Structures are given as C-alpha cells and as structure tokens.
Amino acid sequence: MNNEEKNIISEEAVTEEANSAPKAPAEEKSEEIKKKKTNPFKTEKFRRSSVGVIFTAVFLAVLVVINVAVNVLESRYPSMNMDLTAEKLNTLSDDAKTAAENLTDKVEIFIIGEEQAIRDDLIYSNYNVKYSQLATLCDKLVEVNPSMISVKYVDPDADPAFISEYPDDSLSSGKVLIRSARRYKVLEISDLFAIDYSSDYTHYEYYTKVDSALANALYLVNMDKAPVVAMETAYNEMLSANYRTNLDTLLKDNCFTVKEFNIMTDGIPEDADVVMILTPTTDFAGEDIAKLEAWLEGGEKNHTVFVSSYPTVGELKNLNGFLNNRGIGFSTGNILVETDSSKRLSTSAAHMFVTAEDDLIPGNYSNLISANAVPVEILFDENDGIKTYPLITTSSTVYAQGYTSETDTDPETATAHTAVLAQKLNGDIQSNVIACGDTDSIYAYMGNSTFGNADFMLDLMQYVTDTTDTGVGLNINMTQTYVRDVVVSGRTIWIVGFGVLTVGLPLIILVFGIVVFVRRRHL
C-alpha cells in the first residue's frame, strides 16, 4: 500500500469518526431551526396569517348576518330605515298616520309599475322625480295599520287583466289606484309631484305631494259619502273645464267629487251638494231657474248654489232675479278699483288685497286677492228666514266704476264686497246661495300657495257641505325637493367639479397609495 492510499484511508476514517461523534448543542439547535423552516405550516408567519384569516372570515360572517337581519327587520318595520333627506321626504306626516290609524274599511293600494323600477327611481326619472318616495311611504302606511292596508305592485304588461278592470282610468306606470269596498281613487303623476318655474324664471323647482295625496285618498275611500260639486255647462260659462283646472284640482285633492252636467238636458245630479255656475254669459231659461229653486229647497242635506260673474257679462235678468230673491246681486257692468297703491297686488288698480269676514268661516287668509271683481250688493240683512253674510270685503279706499269708463280722478271710496252668502235654515239643513263677483281669482290665484284664495275656497266648500269635522280638506302640502340653497358661478362649478374632484382628489389618493406601497416594501 503506497503512501497516497494510506492518506485517503486516513481521511475517510477521520470523516466517519466526526460524523459519529456527538454534536454540540448549538449545532443541534441550528439543525432544528433549519428543519422547521422547511415546514411552512409551522412558521410564525403562517400562524399569524391564519389567525388573521379566521378573524376576517368571522367578521365578514357577522356582517352578513347583521345585514340579513337588518334587511328582514326593515322589510317588517320600514320605520327603521332612517330618513336622511333634509326635507324628511320619507317620513309620514301626522295627518297621514292619523288617516291610516282611523280606517274603518280595508284599503288596497295598487301602485302601477314594476316594483324594482319604482324603488330604483326609474319611473319618470327624466323629470327629476324621486318616485321611490311613494313606495317608501306606502310601506310605512302598512306598518301603521297592517290589518287594514295592503300594497300591491301591478306591472301593466304582466297583468293586463287588472288594467282592463278600469277602462276609463287609463292606468299606466306611475299611477296609483287606492280602493276600498266603498269607492276608489286614482292618483295621477300630477297628484303626486309638481314642477314649476322659480319666481325669477331662471330654473325649474320640483315639489312632492305624495304624503298629503295618500292621506287624502285614504280618507276619501273610507268616507260614508264624498261631497259632490257639480259644474253647470249649459249657458256658455266662461270658466269651462280648461279654465277651472286649479279649482277642480283643489277640490279633487281634498276629497270632493267633481262632475259636469247640463241643466237643460240632464237636470241637476241627485247626489250634488254644490252646484257651481261659473260666470255664465247667457241668461238662464225660466224653467232652469225653477229647477234651481226646487233643488235648493229640497233634499235632506245642505244644498248650495254658487254663481260667479265678470264685468263684461251683461244683464242676466232671470239669474239675477234668482239672486235678488235671496237678498244679493251683482252690480252688473261695474268693476272695483283700489285707489291705495299699497293695497294693490300689481300696477293694475283692479288687482287688490281683500279681507275674509269671519262671521261664518273663521280663518286667517294671508294675501287674499280679488281681481277684476264685480261689486256684490247686499239687498237686505234678513228677510223671510233668509240671512245674508259678507264673505270677502275690500278696503275702504275702493270705488266702483263702469268697466269701460275712464278712471275717476276724485272718486268717493268705501268698502265693498266681492263675495256674499245668503242662507236659509230648515232645522239643521242649510240652503245657501253664494254670489262671487271675482272670476279671475278662481281662474288665476287658486293654484298658487302664495295667495290665500285656495284655502278660503276650500274652507267655504267644507262649510256649506258640512264636512268640517271629517278628514275632507287636508291641505295638499307641496314639499320642495332638490332645493337650490347654494348658488355658485359656472367657473366655480368647473374648478370644484373638474379641478378638485376629477383631478385633484384622485391624484392625492394615487400619491398616497404609492408612498405607502414603497414604504411597506422596505420594511
């Protein structure tokens, strides 16, 4: 064996002896750590991440459970859904709650349209209408009285049979049908929402009437009998349907039934409570006057005849005779003029502020207007069981002049009346005749809440139909939505919208994200 072979054998022996020799503690620990590192499921990092994943999963599960529970509770108790709108659009008024609580008959509310489209504001969205308010308030009405109120959605495409049950009402998406065993009422989109110009004509203003419209409809379909106002059409009345839109809307919104009739051919409707003859331009025939007389004195409920006039209407002998027999009449061909400019509505001396008398109808009607009014004369205070009451009075700085006459430079002024009521009592039953010389206020000022004319007319109709103690006459409250309470220039809008929100804010978030990413990478 040579020396080279001896050296190799010697090295192998040394190596074998070293491997078989006991290892130092430090070496054993190093080996143990090395083995642990090779098992990723036993690392400290894995243990920490596992706890994080478990915690996250549990947290998400709890959130899901809470969300499901809240959704279930909100569907059962809609009032849990907080109303965050500034105008409280999704909160029932006290009037609506009272209407729902006091129902005596079960009421079904049919909202025409696909439910999800309504809840997502897809109905009339081009008109800035928040139609979901209807669904929300109906849900809350059901919550108030679930045993008496139900809500159903009717898709006109999927359920044409239901639509065909009401052929005269043209039910389409956006309308609402509310019915009981007594009667039903259809709410149009115009009954629920309104769009108007701003006072300075620079933009549109949007209003909602949903709460009041629903409350009044609940009252109407539960009333024993809804009062009927019948509009006479035979004598070329100036206020035809096209010109009395504001009046008709006021009455219908407040649970009155409005119908038209021709006294020559139809006679007076048996169910009428009030007959309105709105500024006829031709005189009544004697036989039609007799019909008015017989109807006024007959029946077991209050009957009222309301007659209006205008300065250009000539002498209507038969109709004026009917009024004169009750101690009232028109000063035909004359117009009232206000000499005090501070008591005028406009530059026209014939548009003036007037006062409602409180003998029969107590109330404070601010900004009550008479325009182009014929003076109404009181011929006697009381005679043969008939008593006369002034309803609307001018200031003491008014005088009457001929409609075609020139303005008097030194007139004798005195108070005058633009509306007077003559009343005869038979026990508790009233027969009323009202003469109103103010056609323009019925036409022009009934639709504007700035003026008190609509409130006065509504209270007058309630009084003569004896419905002041019922739900009839809840005022339709219009709440403005999308209120423009901040006015900014176009340049400011561009700077804020594009410069700050579109460019600046996203850029700040991007820079912040990059900084956080770089710093975390070097940890």
Side-chain angles (χ1 to χ4, degrees):
M1 182 180 296
N2 58 32
N3 289 334
E4 187 176 344
E5 290 175 339
K6 287 180 180 179
N7 288 335
I8 292 173
I9 293 172
S10 176
E11 288 177 2
E12 289 177 351
V14 171
T15 302
E16 190 176 321
E17 183 179 353
N19 289 335
S20 62
K23 295 180 180 177
E27 292 176 323
E28 290 180 355
K29 188 173 183 180
S30 176
E31 292 258 346
E32 186 179 347
I33 292 172
K34 201 176 287 184
K35 288 179 181 178
K36 286 182 178 179
K37 284 185 177 179
T38 60
N39 188 349
F41 298 105
K42 294 183 179 180
T43 63
E44 183 72 18
K45 180 178 180 181
F46 178 78
R47 285 198 299 272
R48 290 180 179 177
S49 63
S50 298
V51 172
V53 170
I54 293 171
F55 177 80
T56 302
V58 171
F59 180 72
L60 291 175
V62 171
L63 286 181
V64 170
V65 170
I66 292 174
N67 186 53
V68 171
V70 168
N71 286 336
V72 171
L73 289 173
E74 282 185 350
S75 63
R76 178 65 183 86
Y77 304 103
S79 57
M80 288 183 58
N81 191 355
M82 295 180 63
D83 185 359
L84 300 180
T85 61
E87 302 84 5
K88 297 302 177 186
L89 302 179
N90 296 320
T91 299
L92 285 176
S93 67
D94 291 338
D95 285 336
K97 291 178 183 177
T98 300
E101 291 168 348
N102 294 336
L103 293 177
T104 56
D105 294 345
K106 289 187 177 181
V107 173
E108 297 173 291
I109 300 175
F110 296 92
I111 302 176
I112 311 302
E114 198 273 319
E115 180 175 0
Q116 203 55 50
I118 288 170
R119 293 191 182 277
D120 291 343
D121 290 321
L122 300 181
I123 302 292
Y124 293 102
S125 58
N126 292 337
Y127 296 93
N128 281 338
V129 168
K130 296 289 288 184
Y131 206 87
S132 59
Q133 183 196 10
L134 174 66
T136 300
L137 293 185
C138 284
D139 290 342
K140 293 184 177 182
L141 287 173
V142 174
E143 181 185 5
V144 171
N145 199 343
S147 64
M148 300 297 285
I149 302 175
S150 63
V151 176
K152 299 176 183 177
Y153 292 82
V154 179
D155 188 336
D157 296 325
D159 192 359
F162 178 87
I163 304 300
S164 65
E165 293 178 23
Y166 302 91
D168 297 331
D169 296 291
S170 302
L171 297 180
S172 58
S173 292
K175 294 186 178 183
V176 184
L177 185 145
I178 302 173
R179 75 181 183 190
S180 69
R182 299 174 186 269
R183 64 184 65 85
Y184 73 89
K185 180 176 178 62
V186 174
L187 298 177
E188 309 278 348
I189 184 67
S190 58
D191 297 322
L192 302 169
F193 302 94
I195 303 174
D196 202 354
Y197 276 118
S198 63
S199 57
D200 57 1
Y201 296 96
T202 60
H203 61 275
Y204 285 110
E205 293 179 342
Y206 303 89
Y207 297 88
T208 173
K209 303 182 283 183
V210 173
D211 180 88
S212 298
L214 289 173
N216 270 306
L218 291 179
Y219 277 120
L220 173 64
V221 300
N222 262 255
M223 292 174 61
D224 290 333
K225 185 179 183 306
V228 175
V229 178
M231 305 291 184
E232 207 289 311
T233 61
Y235 286 96
N236 298 320
E237 281 78 3
M238 289 178 64
L239 291 184
S240 60
N242 291 335
Y243 295 99
R244 62 166 200 269
T245 301
N246 292 332
L247 175 60
D248 286 4
T249 299
L250 173 72
L251 294 171
K252 291 176 181 178
D253 281 349
N254 291 279
C255 300
F256 289 83
T257 298
V258 177
K259 59 174 62 175
E260 290 188 341
F261 75 101
N262 183 316
I263 195 170
M264 292 183 184
T265 59
D266 306 330
I268 299 172
E270 292 183 1
D271 58 352
D273 296 88
V274 179
V275 169
M276 299 195 88
I277 306 170
L278 297 179
T279 316
T281 56
T282 56
D283 197 11
F284 271 55
E287 55 268 28
D288 291 331
I289 293 294
K291 293 176 186 177
L292 287 176
E293 294 276 10
W295 176 82
L296 192 61
E297 298 294 340
E300 298 179 353
K301 62 178 182 177
N302 293 356
H303 281 170
T304 300
V305 174
F306 183 106
V307 184
S308 62
S309 187
Y310 193 75
T312 58
V313 174
E315 177 71 24
L316 306 179
K317 184 178 179 181
N318 291 336
L319 187 58
N320 283 338
F322 168 77
L323 298 175
N324 294 163
N325 288 338
R326 283 159 180 79
I328 55 180
F330 296 117
S331 179
T332 305
N334 290 323
I335 186 172
L336 291 173
V337 176
E338 175 61 73
T339 61
D340 186 343
S341 60
S342 68
K343 297 173 184 176
R344 298 174 186 170
L345 175 65
S346 63
T347 55
S348 172
H351 290 240
M352 65 195 72
F353 292 100
V354 290
T355 303
E357 300 293 339
D358 59 4
D359 293 344
L360 297 177
I361 307 169
N364 182 21
Y365 306 99
S366 59
N367 297 328
L368 193 64
I369 301 298
S370 277
N372 298 317
V374 176
V376 181
E377 299 173 334
I378 296 178
L379 305 182
F380 59 76
D381 294 329
E382 184 173 359
N383 185 42
D384 196 22
I386 299 172
K387 296 181 68 173
T388 54
Y389 301 88
L391 295 176
I392 299 178
T393 304
T394 69
S395 72
S396 60
T397 52
V398 166
Y399 75 99
Q401 71 172 38
Y403 184 70
T404 58
S405 302
E406 294 184 4
T407 302
D408 194 334
T409 57
D410 187 25
E412 292 186 11
T413 60
T415 57
H417 307 302
T418 63
V420 177
L421 181 147
Q423 183 178 89
K424 185 176 182 179
L425 295 178
N426 182 12
D428 294 332
I429 306 299
Q430 302 174 10
S431 61
N432 303 304
V433 176
I434 300 170
C436 175
D438 192 358
T439 296
D440 272 2
S441 71
I442 299 174
Y443 164 67
Y445 296 108
M446 288 289 170
N448 192 325
S449 59
T450 302
F451 306 106
N453 296 68
D455 290 339
F456 179 80
M457 177 63 79
L458 181 58
D459 288 348
L460 177 61
M461 290 296 103
Q462 286 181 310
Y463 170 75
V464 298
T465 57
D466 196 25
T467 52
T468 53
D469 295 330
T470 72
V472 176
L474 284 178
N475 288 334
I476 295 295
N477 296 316
M478 297 207 310
T479 303
Q480 187 174 355
T481 58
Y482 304 101
V483 179
R484 291 163 55 109
D485 53 359
V486 178
V487 180
V488 294
S489 66
R491 178 178 177 82
T492 303
I493 292 174
W494 188 89
I495 293 173
V496 174
F498 180 77
V500 176
L501 299 180
T502 306
V503 177
L505 189 59
L507 186 61
I508 292 172
I509 294 173
L510 177 63
V511 172
F512 180 76
I514 293 173
V515 171
V516 171
F517 173 77
V518 171
R519 294 190 63 181
R520 288 178 63 87
R521 202 174 165 194
H522 289 84
L523 290 177

